[in-house]
Amino acid sequence: MSKPLPKPVVSLDQAQTQIIRYGDALDRSPELLRRVSFTRSWYALRDGETWRFAPSKFLRRQFERAEDYLAVKGHPDAEPDGDRTEKMLRQWFAVVPPDTRLASEVTVALEAFLAAYGKRRREEDRINVLHDELEQIRPGVLRRADDDRAGRIVSDPAICGGRPTIRGTRVRVTDILEMLASGAARGDILRDFDYLSEKDIGAALGYAAGMIDHRVIRAA
């Protein structure tokens, strides 16, 4: 006889709890980490000065551990697909509008989150935030991490759609994260982009680190 599934998520508080639980579960489960590559819809929660993330399927039920989530596959009471979960979550979350300050902020944060696990974000991935976050969208300068006090990371609507870049270049913070996540050493990046400096790479990592709640990347 199959073990009963955890109860469905039915409130915003429960959904937020699941986002927080996901990060802890991911650190403890290689199989859960393997499944990260299959995620296309991410849900983001601002936690102080950082962002936390979880895939929509982890917000379906009140999973306390990775094992609870992994046991759903093949369970007789499991939902047939994720559409029902997506529809349920729309009462609290919505996709971040592109070309906004908020889109730049959460995209960099998601890139950093995934890079910490050696993963990369795909262009088709969707990022959803709370409705309250969307109500506060307004033009302005991106918040910057302490490592960026020298002004090396800038956001100009006329350059790369306002995505944070290295000052005086079209190299995005996410470009640097992706190269490091793909296995490139800092020296490789500096050889390929001879107009960048070690401090530029450090500033990009520092900026990204300010968006998540753990170390960004393990890079040579």
Side-chain angles (χ1 to χ4, degrees):
M1 183 175 179
S2 300
K3 181 181 177 181
L5 291 174
K7 294 180 180 180
V9 166
V10 295
S11 71
L12 174 56
D13 284 346
Q14 291 172 355
Q16 292 174 314
T17 296
Q18 287 309 112
I19 294 176
I20 294 172
R21 283 176 174 170
Y22 180 74
D24 295 335
L26 197 60
D27 288 335
R28 293 177 171 82
S29 173
E31 175 58 23
L32 192 63
L33 178 58
R34 186 186 71 81
R35 296 191 183 191
V36 166
S37 300
F38 302 109
T39 299
R40 294 294 170 268
S41 185
W42 290 97
Y43 285 76
L45 176 67
R46 192 190 295 275
D47 184 7
E49 293 298 309
T50 66
W51 286 94
R52 294 178 181 266
F53 296 92
S56 57
K57 291 182 179 179
F58 202 83
L59 276 64
R60 181 181 301 172
R61 292 179 176 274
Q62 299 178 55
F63 304 113
E64 293 187 8
R65 304 173 306 159
E67 292 78 7
D68 299 331
Y69 171 76
L70 297 172
V72 169
K73 187 175 182 179
H75 195 286
D77 296 330
E79 295 84 348
D81 54 53
D83 289 345
R84 188 180 306 173
T85 303
E86 294 279 338
K87 291 178 181 178
M88 180 270 291
L89 292 172
R90 285 177 197 153
Q91 62 185 306
W92 308 307
F93 295 86
V95 176
V96 181
D99 301 324
T100 62
R101 178 185 59 82
L102 181 61
S104 295
E105 183 175 328
V106 295
T107 298
V108 170
L110 179 59
E111 293 274 8
F113 173 77
L114 294 175
Y117 295 100
K119 304 291 183 178
R120 299 176 62 181
R121 185 186 70 87
R122 297 191 180 185
E123 288 300 323
E124 61 267 29
D125 288 357
R126 302 184 302 278
I127 307 177
N128 301 266
V129 297
L130 291 171
H131 291 160
D132 287 349
E133 294 284 355
L134 299 182
E135 292 173 0
Q136 298 177 35
I137 289 179
R138 59 185 183 276
V141 179
L142 286 165
R143 293 182 304 136
R144 298 188 300 190
D146 290 343
D147 298 78
D148 184 39
R149 290 174 182 170
R152 292 179 179 273
I153 309 300
V154 297
S155 178
D156 184 339
I159 299 175
C160 297
R163 298 281 290 278
T165 60
I166 303 298
R167 180 182 293 278
T169 78
R170 298 185 68 85
V171 177
R172 301 171 301 176
V173 169
T174 54
D175 293 330
I176 292 175
L177 292 177
E178 288 183 359
M179 287 186 282
L180 291 171
S182 297
R186 297 192 184 200
D188 297 331
I189 297 173
L190 295 176
R191 280 192 296 273
D192 292 339
F193 300 89
D194 56 8
Y195 46 86
L196 295 180
S197 69
E198 181 73 30
K199 289 185 178 179
D200 290 329
I201 296 176
L205 289 173
Y207 180 92
M211 298 295 181
I212 59 174
D213 61 349
H214 58 270
R215 190 171 181 175
V216 176
I217 199 167
R218 292 177 289 275

